[in-house]
């Protein structure tokens, strides 16, 4: 699950606590070139205000119109709706030719499950939520990364994962550019730099400075599959110690600044002095970032963030388990 979808849940919680009526819409199945993947969320308030998206276009407009017209006021339990079943409907709703979306729409009444999901994901837990369409009953359980969205026409199980986070080793100009771009992508951004003269430059809102030596910080962070770590100090005493711990962690991305020659020397050093395996060293992205001919700190930051997103999306991709024979339009 993307951080955007967690933000949708946060908006739903705030709206319900303010006494507003909210319909939560979840993409459960797609065929063809559907714009949003299964699991994507859209929340629609009774006055038409929205959070999130299920198509990025006319499907939202149709849902908003229906909700504002009061069509869903009497909706007691979750139900399913389909868009773009025919080529004509696909064209009407702005879907690519042949694209089809099946959605589950549910009136949000009890928000206890939302509070628990937000609390558990903030602690970097992965949560599976199952809703029974006939009653709206919701149950939560701990999930594994091998789990996938499941929908059989009777129950819907979706996954809510922790927010993606990025730990930067170093607080220099490049780190600040990377941090700024990562924030725009809704990463939780952490920066560790024990050098006060550099850390004093760190002044970005929403970026957290983590105190301590980099290797200790990595250990305390307990990097999981939603964590990226990038070493940017150019100081081997700081970078290497952090990389030693990062490469032995579950972080989905580990990168380090430096030329190809420097990276070869670094890998040899890590293998000889820190006993890192060849398999662990193969996880290191170095030189860090995509090769786009970057020269300036901002351009290098673009290349780094682009590679992190590339790896993140590949790591997050998972098959969707569905039983389409049980689904009715």
């Amino acid at each position: 699950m993307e951080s955007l979808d967690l933000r949708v849940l946060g908006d739903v919680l705030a709206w319900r606590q303010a006494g507003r009526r909210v319909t939560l819409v979840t993409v459960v199945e797609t065929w063809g070139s559907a714009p949003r993947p299964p699991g994507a969320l859209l929340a629609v308030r009774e006055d038409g205000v929205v959070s999130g998206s299920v198509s990025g276009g006319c499907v939202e407009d149709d849902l908003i119109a229906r909700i504002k017209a009061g069509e869903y006021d009497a909706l007691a339990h979750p139900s399913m709706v389909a868009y773009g079943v025919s080529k004509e409907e696909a064209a009407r709703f702005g879907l690519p030719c042949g694209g089809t979306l099946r959605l589950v729409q549910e009136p949000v009444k009890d928000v206890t499950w939302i509070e628990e999901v937000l609390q558990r994901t903030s602690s970097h837990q992965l949560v599976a939520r199952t809703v029974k369409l006939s009653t709206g009953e919701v149950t939560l359980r701990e999930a594994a990364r091998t789990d996938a969205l499941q929908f059989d026409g009777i129950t819907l199980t979706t996954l809510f994962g922790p927010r993606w986070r990025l730990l930067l080793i170093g607080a220099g100009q490049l780190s600040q550019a990377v941090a700024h771009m990562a924030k725009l992508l809704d990463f939780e951004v952490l920066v560790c730099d024990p050098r006060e003269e550099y850390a004093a430059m760190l002044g970005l809102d929403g970026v957290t400075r983590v105190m301590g030596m980099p290797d200790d910080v990595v250990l305390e962070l307990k990097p999981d599959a939603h964590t990226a770590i990038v070493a940017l100090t150019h100081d081997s005493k700081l970078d290497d110690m952090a990389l030693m711990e990062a490469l032995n962690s579950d972080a989905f991305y580990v990168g380090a600044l430096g030329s190809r020659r420097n990276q070869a020397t670094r890998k040899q050093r890590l293998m000889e002095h820190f006993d890192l395996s060849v398999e662990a060293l193969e996880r290191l992205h170095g030189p860090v970032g995509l090769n786009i001919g970057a020269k300036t700190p901002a351009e290098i930051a673009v290349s780094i963030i682009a590679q992190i997103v590339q790896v993140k999306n590949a790591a997050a991709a998972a098959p969707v388990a569905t039983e389409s024979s049980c689904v009715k339009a």
Side-chain angles (χ1 to χ4, degrees):
M1 155 152 290
E2 292 295 319
S3 298
L4 172 62
D5 294 321
L6 292 177
R7 189 184 303 168
V8 171
L9 292 187
D11 289 338
V12 172
L13 178 61
W15 292 344
R16 288 295 295 128
Q17 289 174 336
R20 309 304 295 262
R21 297 194 307 276
V22 183
T23 300
L24 184 65
V25 183
T26 306
V27 177
V28 294
E29 290 184 303
T30 65
W31 286 272
S33 303
R36 295 283 284 142
L41 296 180
L42 169 73
V44 187
R45 216 164 62 182
E46 84 276 5
D47 59 353
V49 174
V50 301
S51 177
S53 68
V54 291
S55 77
C58 295
V59 169
E60 282 85 352
D61 292 342
D62 186 69
L63 288 167
I64 290 168
R66 290 171 180 269
I67 288 170
K68 289 179 69 175
E71 289 188 25
Y72 297 161
D73 287 352
L75 193 65
H77 304 304
S79 62
M80 200 188 68
V81 62
Y83 285 92
V85 173
S86 66
K87 290 185 178 180
E88 292 74 17
E89 283 185 319
R92 175 190 169 198
F93 291 111
L95 297 172
C97 185
T100 301
L101 290 176
R102 293 194 190 276
L103 313 172
V104 164
Q105 53 196 13
E106 55 182 299
V108 180
K109 298 177 180 178
D110 180 21
V111 296
T112 304
W113 70 268
I114 298 179
E115 295 172 327
E116 185 173 348
V117 165
L118 293 177
Q119 186 276 322
R120 290 170 68 170
T121 54
S122 69
S123 300
H124 272 258
Q125 298 179 39
L126 186 61
V127 183
R129 177 212 183 217
T130 299
V131 58
K132 190 174 182 180
L133 269 61
S134 61
T135 64
E137 178 187 1
V138 172
T139 56
L140 301 178
R141 63 171 174 81
E142 184 177 351
R145 286 191 59 81
T146 53
D147 292 343
L149 181 148
Q150 296 188 21
F151 180 59
D152 60 6
I154 300 172
T155 62
L156 168 65
T157 298
T158 49
L159 303 180
F160 293 88
R163 186 180 181 189
W164 297 97
R165 62 182 172 179
L166 171 62
L167 172 63
L168 299 174
I169 308 301
Q173 186 180 26
L174 176 57
S175 293
Q176 293 183 56
V178 173
H180 178 70
M181 294 178 189
K183 280 179 53 193
L184 295 176
L185 293 171
D186 203 29
F187 276 77
E188 175 187 4
V189 183
L190 311 171
V191 177
C192 172
D193 197 329
R195 305 169 301 176
E196 288 298 330
E197 63 272 23
Y198 284 93
M201 299 170 57
L202 189 65
L204 290 174
D205 291 337
V207 174
T208 303
R209 182 188 177 191
V210 186
M211 306 299 292
M213 294 301 292
D215 54 325
D216 293 331
V217 167
V218 173
L219 279 173
E220 292 168 7
L221 188 64
K222 296 181 174 62
D224 60 9
H226 283 76
T227 305
I229 300 172
V230 183
L232 299 173
T233 72
H234 259 318
D235 184 336
S236 60
K237 297 188 298 297
L238 298 175
D239 286 349
D240 287 4
M241 294 295 288
L243 293 171
M244 173 189 68
E245 301 297 348
L247 290 169
N248 282 322
S249 76
D250 292 330
F252 77 88
Y253 180 95
V254 181
L257 191 65
S259 67
R260 286 183 173 81
R261 179 179 297 179
N262 287 342
Q263 296 296 342
T265 303
R266 184 200 306 279
K267 289 184 177 182
Q268 189 66 30
R269 191 167 59 239
L270 288 170
M271 183 180 295
E272 292 177 354
H273 298 291
F274 299 107
D275 199 28
L276 280 177
S277 67
V278 173
E279 292 75 17
L281 290 171
E282 286 178 348
R283 299 184 58 221
L284 179 61
H285 293 271
V288 68
L290 297 180
N291 184 6
I292 60 173
K295 301 296 182 183
T296 67
E299 290 177 348
I300 297 170
V302 168
S303 75
I304 293 171
I305 288 296
Q307 189 174 59
I308 290 173
V309 170
Q310 181 186 60
V311 175
K312 173 182 77 73
N313 290 345
V320 177
T322 61
E323 297 180 29
S324 58
S325 61
C326 298
V327 179
K328 305 298 181 183

